[in-house]
Amino acid sequence: MEQIVNPHGLKMHPMRERLYSELHSRPFQVIPSPARITHLAVMCNPEESKQQFAHLQELFKHFGVEPPAVDELCYHADFGNLRVRREKHMEFTTYTFINTGIEQGGNPFEVTGLTPLPEGWLSEIPGTVMSAFHVSVEDARQTHELNLPLVKRFFEGMRLVGSSPQNGDARVWTTFQMHSDGFGRFLIYNKQMSDSQLGRLTQRIMEIETYRLMALLSLPTARDINPTLGDMDQKLADITDHLAHSGDIDEQELLFRLTDMASWVEDCRARATFRFSATYAYHDLVIKRLEELREDEVSGHLTITEFMTRRLTPAVKTCRATSNRLEDLSRRIDRVAEMMRTRVELSIQSQNQELLASMDQRSKVQLMMQHTVEGLSVAAISYYTIGLIKYLLDAVYNSGVDLNKDLILGISVPVVIGAVALTTRKIHRHFLKMATDEVERMDESKKSKK
């Protein structure tokens, strides 16, 4: 990296400026009252993220504004009565559309943050929408809040969740459900909050709704895994019981079964580990944002915190329990497989000992046969040697030398036999000494290693 030197001659870390900017990359917005806001969370892959930036540039061109040239983590654009904010996260992108050109009164969800957008632009956003909801901000600083039956009508008669966040400076109503237009709805009455405070409150509510849906994304996976996980747990218990109480065991078959179980567990872990980890992270963010709301109860209604604690937390605990069961089953399979490998190794060692004993017996038989062959070889060598001596004596006698061939041949028989026997024994002792020396050398080598 290129070293940066400031005017005072100090060498600055090349990442210093970027780290400073990171803390200010997603500032809170300033939202006036009244306003209509629509928030989208769009899941996307890296290629779709690039396409989203090109799609955002088209919106700039539509409003006659110079489009950005570089894709940043967070973009904020002001097109008069419409403000657009786009943020990139790890696995999704959020779009916030704020419509400030509205008049208070009437149905707060009749006009939304999407109303000023050009026709067809929204449907062309690359990716898959996970979270989509409208936030209607009403100014209650000069007027009274609407009565509860009318508020309920705005939410199509669904059961309301309400609270007074920021120590009663605002009133928030929602249902945490999708309505007839496919969007969720939040209604915020601003009692005595500034535009900056309202912006922070709205941002927290949008993050709570987005993160709680992202946290629930792993729940179907946990529900799919749990039934098979219970079956696998029972199968492992049966295998363990069979190992403990049965003497007739087919080690190879059990190892195949354990291998199949381990493969299934690892496949589940590969598919679910990231999703479960993301769920825990999103849940922590939701709990943090709920704490920042500082809610007061609205009589007769669940607060947002109570609703999340009752509905979201058990789902996250289910995912955590499934993850823990997967890890526990994986460890237990490894232990049982290790027991099986130990049994197989002991069985192999027993077979090796039997094989060595059989080889030792065969070696003894071979040695006895070798001694027999050596005895026969002494007789054979002596026979052929005496035959050669006889040919030699005949040659000498025929050349005119007077000698007693029979006497000399008879004397040579015990001499030749004795000489051949001694020579064979000496050779045998020589090889035996070589083998003994090799064994002693190996024993000394083992002692030195110890």
Side-chain angles (χ1 to χ4, degrees):
M1 293 184 181
E2 184 180 354
Q3 190 71 51
I4 300 175
V5 180
N6 76 342
H8 298 284
L10 297 174
K11 295 180 179 179
M12 300 297 178
H13 194 282
M15 295 291 292
R16 182 170 177 266
E17 184 176 348
R18 183 175 178 181
L19 295 177
Y20 263 94
S21 300
E22 180 64 29
L23 298 178
H24 303 277
S25 61
R26 295 186 175 94
F28 287 108
Q29 300 193 72
V30 177
I31 298 178
S33 304
R36 301 293 182 261
I37 305 168
T38 299
H39 187 79
L40 303 176
V42 184
M43 299 191 69
C44 57
N45 55 39
E47 182 60 31
E48 289 173 333
S49 180
K50 295 178 181 178
Q51 295 172 2
Q52 286 177 355
F53 179 63
H55 183 259
L56 181 66
Q57 289 176 318
E58 294 299 322
L59 185 64
F60 278 77
K61 295 176 182 178
H62 172 80
F63 286 102
V65 178
E66 182 68 23
V70 181
D71 191 7
E72 300 289 348
L73 288 176
C74 181
Y75 266 115
H76 181 87
D78 193 339
F79 304 119
N81 290 333
L82 175 65
R83 296 190 312 201
V84 179
R85 178 175 172 136
R86 174 178 176 264
E87 298 181 33
K88 295 198 308 183
H89 299 263
M90 181 183 298
E91 54 180 337
F92 63 92
T93 302
T94 60
Y95 290 85
T96 305
F97 306 96
I98 304 174
N99 183 4
T100 58
I102 54 102
E103 295 182 1
Q104 186 154 310
N107 188 335
F109 298 105
E110 185 175 357
V111 177
T112 69
L114 305 179
T115 303
L117 291 175
E119 185 177 355
W121 181 87
L122 187 67
S123 61
E124 299 297 327
I125 294 180
T128 305
V129 176
M130 173 57 66
S131 174
F133 54 91
H134 302 303
V135 181
S136 180
V137 179
E138 298 288 358
D139 192 348
R141 290 173 291 188
Q142 306 298 330
T143 61
H144 295 290
E145 292 183 48
L146 297 177
N147 57 52
L148 192 58
L150 185 56
V151 171
K152 196 167 186 178
R153 191 190 311 165
F154 296 149
F155 289 91
E156 301 177 349
M158 297 181 182
R159 179 173 294 182
L160 293 175
V161 175
S163 70
S164 295
Q166 307 305 122
N167 301 320
D169 289 346
R171 180 68 57 86
V172 178
W173 295 105
T174 186
T175 61
F176 290 109
Q177 297 188 59
M178 288 191 300
H179 294 266
S180 58
D181 58 355
F183 285 75
R185 293 179 181 179
F186 287 85
L187 180 57
I188 301 176
Y189 287 106
N190 179 14
K191 291 185 174 183
Q192 50 183 0
M193 302 180 71
S194 66
D195 293 352
S196 297
Q197 291 173 323
L198 182 61
R200 292 194 291 271
L201 172 64
T202 305
Q203 183 69 28
R204 288 167 184 147
I205 289 175
M206 291 190 298
E207 289 178 353
I208 288 171
E209 176 67 356
T210 299
Y211 292 146
R212 71 107 177 177
L213 289 173
M214 295 300 297
L216 287 172
L217 199 57
S218 63
L219 185 59
T221 302
R223 287 174 174 169
D224 290 342
I225 291 175
N226 270 323
T228 310
L229 193 59
D231 294 341
M232 289 291 177
D233 198 22
Q234 184 60 47
K235 289 179 181 179
L236 184 61
D238 293 341
I239 291 176
T240 306
D241 181 73
H242 189 56
L243 283 172
H245 301 98
S246 178
D248 184 15
I249 296 175
D250 188 345
E251 288 90 353
Q252 188 173 11
E253 179 187 356
L254 290 181
L255 280 175
F256 282 148
R257 291 169 60 185
L258 287 172
T259 301
D260 290 340
M261 293 174 65
S263 300
W264 179 85
V265 170
E266 291 306 316
D267 178 64
C268 289
R269 291 174 67 187
R271 290 187 291 110
T273 297
F274 170 76
R275 195 70 267 155
F276 287 155
S277 299
T279 289
Y280 310 148
Y282 290 132
H283 180 251
D284 290 342
L285 288 171
V286 170
I287 297 303
K288 181 65 176 176
R289 298 298 182 268
L290 290 173
E291 293 173 353
E292 293 171 351
L293 286 181
R294 302 196 303 274
E295 292 180 285
D296 291 333
E297 183 180 352
V298 177
S299 178
H301 294 83
L302 285 174
T303 64
I304 296 175
T305 300
E306 288 172 336
F307 180 86
M308 288 295 176
T309 303
R310 185 171 180 269
R311 304 293 177 87
L312 177 62
T313 302
V316 174
K317 288 183 177 179
T318 298
C319 297
R320 193 182 299 276
T322 302
S323 177
N324 291 338
R325 287 185 67 188
L326 274 173
E327 295 296 329
D328 178 67
L329 182 61
S330 178
R331 289 192 294 267
R332 290 167 57 200
I333 290 175
D334 287 341
R335 289 198 297 267
V336 175
E338 184 64 28
M339 291 170 54
M340 289 299 305
R341 284 192 289 269
T342 302
R343 290 178 65 97
V344 171
E345 289 176 359
L346 290 175
S347 176
I348 291 174
Q349 289 180 5
S350 177
Q351 294 176 4
N352 289 340
Q353 289 177 355
E354 294 177 359
L355 180 60
L356 290 173
S358 175
M359 291 176 62
D360 184 58
Q361 184 65 26
R362 286 198 296 268
S363 298
K364 290 180 179 179
V365 173
Q366 290 176 355
L367 183 61
M368 294 174 62
M369 292 177 63
Q370 182 179 354
H371 287 315
T372 303
V373 171
E374 287 177 357
L376 294 175
S377 63
V378 168
I381 293 172
S382 300
Y383 174 78
Y384 285 110
T385 303
I386 292 171
L388 293 174
I389 293 173
K390 182 177 180 300
Y391 284 125
L392 179 62
L393 292 174
D394 288 340
V396 173
Y397 181 81
N398 292 332
S399 64
V401 178
D402 187 16
L403 50 82
N404 189 344
K405 295 189 296 179
D406 295 334
L407 178 61
I408 296 174
L409 189 62
I411 295 173
S412 66
V413 170
V415 175
V416 169
I417 294 174
V420 171
L422 288 174
T423 302
T424 304
R425 188 174 183 82
K426 184 176 180 181
I427 293 173
H428 178 74
R429 287 181 177 178
H430 176 70
F431 285 121
L432 183 61
K433 185 175 183 305
M434 289 177 61
T436 304
D437 292 343
E438 181 65 20
V439 171
E440 291 177 352
R441 187 187 65 79
M442 293 178 65
D443 290 340
E444 290 178 358
S445 177
K446 290 180 180 179
K447 290 179 181 179
S448 62
K449 289 181 179 179
K450 291 181 180 180

